Every structure is written in structure tokens, then in C-alpha cells.
Amino acid sequence: MEAQESRQPLQALAREISALPPSLGTVRLVGIDGHAGSGKSTFAGRLAEALGGAPVLHLDDVASHEELFGWDERLRVQVLEPLAAGRPAHWAPYDWVERRFGPERVLEPAPVLLVEGVGAGRRALRPWLARLLWMEMPRAKSWGRGRNRDGRELSDFWDGWERAELAHFSDDPSRPFADTLVRQSGTGYEWSSGAAATAGTPASITEGDGLPRA
């Protein structure tokens, strides 16, 4: 009973999202953006659960070593346009170890689709979004957590990633266009939407259990 009560506010956010008008055919596309290491993947997973098992598209699966941020055309052709037309999307996730795109997957239209990753709120994607959430964590803290998570063996990758992310957000910032800011607190997450996204007291949405991923 205690765990159910702690998750109720997150259920409220899920109901709010479910009540939004569709933005991509019959789909409500919700972007979850933020700096690398800010906890987007973990938060997306918890929100997806609150939405009754909504699918999550990770932009790490759409990007590649050669195109850290040059994936918008691939996403549009493989995912956005088919779903907008009411058809299943066919896409191939990238394998970061093998450095190639893997077997094709099918993504059926769903009431809500969460797309999470750095750049989920980019200008090419915003017209398709029903809502944009931004993980509110300072860049240096986010990057530090990401480096600690991935270990020294990926230090060179992170050096290149930081330069690429900085250039991306300098040219195409997401946070100014976010509908909702999400913050991690000692007990979980807090969120604020609309005018309260930049001023006021955030509302508690869920109880946390450990450090988030990406």
C-alpha cells in the first residue's frame, strides 16, 4: 500500500499525458530530453510503467558513432512518418559494440510513445511532440555522472561526446521549449509545468530507488 501511494503522483502525470490530443497520427509523442547522464532513461522507464507499459524509443538506438546528432532524417523516415500515417514503424537499432545497425524492429502505433535521449526536443522533432519534458540537472553534474557510470575505458568517447553535445545545444537548444521540467530529489523526482516550469514550487511525482541511467 505504501509503494502504491508513493507512485500515485506519477500516475497523475501519466493521466495528464494520456489526456493530451494526439500529435503523430493517433499517437501522443512525448520527448524526454536533457544532458547525457541526467537520468532520462530511468525516468522514461518509470513513466512508461505509469502509462501502462507505453513503448520507449531510445535515441541511443537511432544515433551512431558517425552521426551522434545527425539522425533526424532517419528518425523521420523510419518512425515518424509511418506512425503519422497510422502504419507500424520499421527501424533498426544501432549496436554500439559492433558499430553497425542491427536487425529490424517493428513499432506499432500506441496511445503514447516516449522518445528519450539527448536531442529529443530538437527543432526537427518538436512539431511532432505532444509534450516535451526536460531533465533539469546541470551539465557538469550530468556529464560527471555519465563518466562515472561508463568508466575510464569510455573516457575518449566522452571527450568527443561532450564536444558534440555542447555544439548541438548551442545550435539547437531544447530546454527553452520544454513544457515540463523534471528534477531528481533525495526521495525521487519533482516536476513543474507551464509557467511553473521556470518559477514556483515543483510538485512531487514519484519515489526514487537508486541512481538513474543516461
Side-chain angles (χ1 to χ4, degrees), residues 28-87:
R28 295 154 186 83
L29 185 65
V30 176
I32 302 175
D33 205 340
H35 297 294
S38 61
K40 298 177 298 300
S41 298
T42 297
F43 179 75
R46 293 176 183 168
L47 182 56
E49 181 182 0
L51 286 161
V56 180
L57 178 64
H58 303 282
L59 290 178
D60 284 351
D61 292 339
V62 180
S64 69
H65 283 90
E66 292 73 28
E67 295 176 317
L68 293 178
F69 291 99
W71 41 258
D72 51 303
E73 180 68 9
R74 180 163 54 251
L75 181 67
R76 181 181 65 82
V77 172
Q78 295 183 353
V79 177
L80 301 180
E81 290 184 347
L83 292 179
R87 304 191 309 270

Side-chain angles (χ1 to χ4, degrees), residues 17-18 20-29 80-88 107-113 128 130:
I17 289 173
S18 297
L20 295 170
S23 60
L24 185 69
T26 60
V27 178
R28 295 154 186 83
L29 185 65
L80 301 180
E81 290 184 347
L83 292 179
R87 304 191 309 270
L107 182 62
E108 298 284 346
V112 178
L113 169 61
W128 308 87

Side-chain angles (χ1 to χ4, degrees), residues 35-40 137-166 211-214:
H35 297 294
S38 61
K40 298 177 298 300
M137 180 177 290
R139 181 178 65 211
K141 182 177 180 180
S142 296
W143 287 354
R145 287 180 11 157
R147 282 181 178 270
N148 290 336
R149 178 195 65 208
D150 292 341
R152 296 183 61 183
E153 60 272 20
L154 291 180
S155 179
D156 290 343
F157 174 82
W158 267 95
D159 290 343
W161 173 269
E162 289 179 3
R163 291 191 295 270
E165 183 184 307
L166 186 61
L211 292 176
R213 294 173 49 239

